[in-house]
Amino acid sequence: MDNPIRHPLAYAREVNDLSQNELAHLLDRAARKRGLRSGADKTTISRYERWLQRPNRETQLLMADAEVFDVPVANVDRYGWPDWLPGSEIPLPLGSGYTVQVLRDAQKAAMDRRTFMTYSAAALAGLGAQWASIEPDHLASALSGRTTADHELIDWLEETSRKLTGLPTEQRQHTIKMMDAHLETVTDLIEGGRHTGTSTKRLHSLAASLSTTCGWYRFDQGKHYAAGKLWTAALHSSHAAGDRDFGAGVLSDFAYQSNWLGQPNVSVDQLGHAITGTEHPTARSLLFLRRARAYAALGERSLCYRDLSEAETALSLQPVDAAPNWCSWMSPADLAVDSGQCLLDLGQIDDASAKMREGLSLLPKARDKTRGIFLTYQAKGLLQSRHIEHALAVTEEALELAHRIGAERCVAQVRELAPAFKPYRQVDGVDDFIEKLHAA
């Protein structure tokens, strides 16, 4: 089955205004300089772009040649195929001079149809490393001495945003236009510079929060390009507010997206940076848990177990301060289910099923989106243990829930289970459910 995300090679080729034939010609020319033959033609390039074939290392080095994509050879080994391929977009450096530009760019991207695009692994690595190595700079002196923003307006924006994000999952899908409007208003206030001191920090913090929430909505709709743009804006805004802790949460969101898109190596890299940016036990528990998921996907058993232990230990602590808002939902239910998913990836089916049952029993009803995702994890485990009727019931529940809350990402996740059901068409209800999935 073709990968639903457009191949980075197709995007890199189009950015450089190359047809498949032209790329093949450049590869051949680069090979001849080395006394070699590339063996690549239009058909081969097409197979690469349809995820049907992977170029060997020699061919990748030809692609990295200065006359083709002009990428440092070191990136080929560091990031792996296809993550080293160039993209047209490189995140702007962190700093107050770029914050408004990034926020405006993110709002445009929210309306963009290029859902296949994401930042490259190399771009994400650079953004994460930059965030981890610098401290927030002083706000530009040009912002001082002007008329301050209306504090009552900022109060209203903060309170309204809290109410919107606090709605049950099923209702939240209908509020995105209001959230977008709030973000635009906050960006206008920041750009106008009519604020000082505490007001400035509050506006940047609010922009970070709104950008994160709007980004998650796009992510749930499968609009990964827009989500990445909005999270980049959130990272810039939290940096401008001097909120290192929130920045760690944004990097964690990028890591979650990378793991979701089948790039666990990128997820590990981002979470390594994020863990250095927060001390709260609940936040650290979430970050270690997400990195454990990435290690499990990579088959790194010992590293996965190490991070699961760290996550469990951190969550068991009783901190004096409340958890940051971006991770305040983290609970024993999340720890149990994601631990179960780790065990499932590592082939421990029975232990995984027990953990997932435990987590689902603990999950509050208000967290319907999380429940839908957890149900698909449980269904996958049930299919692997050949409890087909139970798996069918759980998957149907997940699909109904995904449709009700309007989360395309959850619908797609359920749809991915269809091939695993096909060998069991003789089981009552399976054939009808497969047809329902196709229709979805």
Side-chain angles (χ1 to χ4, degrees):
M1 183 172 65
D2 287 352
N3 192 308
I5 305 301
R6 192 175 188 188
H7 201 289
L9 177 59
Y11 182 55
R13 179 173 54 76
E14 291 172 12
V15 165
N16 287 274
D17 196 25
L18 297 173
S19 67
Q20 291 177 338
N21 277 329
E22 287 168 334
L23 176 55
H25 174 71
L26 288 177
L27 291 175
D28 185 59
R29 190 163 69 182
R32 289 179 184 278
K33 286 195 310 184
R34 296 165 172 77
L36 304 171
R37 290 180 58 83
S38 74
D41 56 16
K42 178 181 178 180
T43 301
T44 307
I45 301 298
S46 176
R47 288 183 63 81
Y48 294 158
E49 293 182 355
R50 289 185 292 133
W51 305 86
L52 299 177
Q53 186 176 337
R54 178 192 181 96
N56 59 30
R57 187 173 185 276
E58 289 72 21
T59 301
Q60 291 185 49
L61 291 176
L62 294 177
M63 289 184 185
D65 186 89
E67 294 187 23
V68 186
F69 291 135
D70 193 20
V71 173
V73 170
N75 284 8
V76 175
D77 291 325
R78 181 178 180 189
Y79 301 114
W81 178 263
D83 296 333
W84 66 264
L85 288 164
S88 67
E89 306 235 17
I90 299 175
L92 289 169
L94 297 176
S96 57
Y98 295 101
T99 304
V100 170
Q101 182 180 345
V102 173
L103 283 165
R104 294 292 188 205
D105 197 24
Q107 290 161 51
K108 291 176 184 175
M111 303 301 175
D112 202 303
R113 297 182 180 274
R114 293 177 288 175
T115 59
F116 60 86
M117 290 173 56
T118 61
Y119 280 127
S120 70
L124 279 181
L127 190 64
Q130 184 191 16
W131 177 88
S133 64
I134 63 177
E135 291 295 329
D137 57 352
H138 293 292
L139 293 170
S141 58
L143 294 180
S144 62
R146 300 185 182 181
T147 305
T148 58
D150 187 337
H151 288 286
E152 290 186 3
L153 175 60
I154 300 176
D155 289 342
W156 180 82
L157 287 167
E158 289 175 337
E159 180 61 25
T160 305
S161 296
R162 278 194 292 270
K163 288 180 178 178
L164 290 173
T165 55
L167 289 170
T169 306
E170 187 173 354
Q171 298 177 26
R172 217 175 300 155
Q173 61 181 305
H174 306 299
T175 66
I176 186 59
K177 290 184 178 180
M178 286 186 280
M179 299 295 284
D180 287 339
H182 276 42
L183 179 56
E184 185 174 0
T185 298
V186 171
T187 305
D188 287 341
L189 290 171
I190 292 172
E191 185 175 31
R194 297 183 297 275
H195 45 83
T196 57
T198 303
S199 295
T200 296
K201 183 175 180 178
R202 288 175 68 191
L203 286 170
H204 282 297
S205 294
L206 185 53
S209 176
L210 287 164
S211 296
T212 300
T213 301
C214 293
W216 271 101
Y217 176 82
R218 268 74 193 195
F219 177 58
D220 286 336
Q221 297 304 307
K223 298 176 180 178
H224 298 293
Y225 173 69
K229 283 288 197 178
L230 285 156
W231 289 337
T232 300
L235 194 66
H236 275 257
S237 297
S238 63
H239 173 74
D243 192 342
R244 300 282 290 168
D245 195 279
F246 196 98
V250 177
L251 290 185
S252 176
D253 294 340
F254 272 121
Y256 186 94
Q257 182 189 46
S258 296
N259 208 38
W260 186 272
L261 295 176
Q263 298 176 317
N265 56 322
V266 180
S267 183
V268 166
D269 181 58
Q270 294 300 93
L271 288 163
H273 293 306
I275 288 168
T276 68
T278 184
E279 294 298 328
H280 196 281
T282 303
R284 292 180 68 80
S285 178
L286 174 60
L287 298 181
F288 277 118
L289 182 60
R290 286 184 171 175
R291 193 167 71 175
R293 285 286 308 275
Y295 278 134
L298 290 167
E300 297 282 0
R301 188 177 299 268
S302 61
L303 293 173
C304 173
Y305 290 159
R306 180 201 66 188
D307 277 4
L308 285 178
S309 177
E310 293 278 7
E312 184 174 5
T313 299
L315 194 62
S316 68
L317 299 177
Q318 299 295 324
V320 175
D321 298 327
N325 286 336
W326 60 266
C327 64
S328 59
W329 47 266
M330 174 64 183
S331 71
D334 299 277
L335 179 63
V337 172
D338 276 349
S339 296
Q341 180 61 26
C342 288
L343 295 174
L344 189 62
D345 286 344
L346 295 172
Q348 297 180 236
I349 299 173
D350 291 340
D351 290 341
S353 296
K355 278 287 185 185
M356 290 181 189
R357 285 196 302 272
E358 174 191 343
L360 280 164
S361 69
L362 295 171
L363 192 69
K365 178 149 188 344
R367 294 181 59 193
D368 279 345
K369 182 178 68 175
T370 303
R371 181 177 299 280
I373 293 170
F374 285 1
L375 285 170
T376 59
Y377 292 163
Q378 184 184 33
K380 184 178 178 182
L382 290 167
L383 282 164
Q384 290 186 16
S385 58
R386 299 187 179 181
H387 294 115
I388 308 305
E389 292 181 348
H390 191 184
L392 180 62
V394 169
T395 309
E396 286 185 319
E397 182 182 353
L399 183 63
E400 187 277 330
L401 186 57
H403 281 308
R404 179 160 55 81
I405 64 177
E408 175 57 33
R409 175 168 65 101
C410 299
V411 175
Q413 189 181 29
V414 173
R415 195 183 295 120
E416 289 172 2
L417 295 175
F421 276 107
K422 286 183 178 178
Y424 305 102
R425 286 182 177 270
Q426 75 279 7
V427 175
D428 187 40
V430 168
D431 216 27
D432 289 342
F433 182 66
I434 291 173
E435 292 303 317
K436 186 190 297 184
L437 285 178
H438 285 312

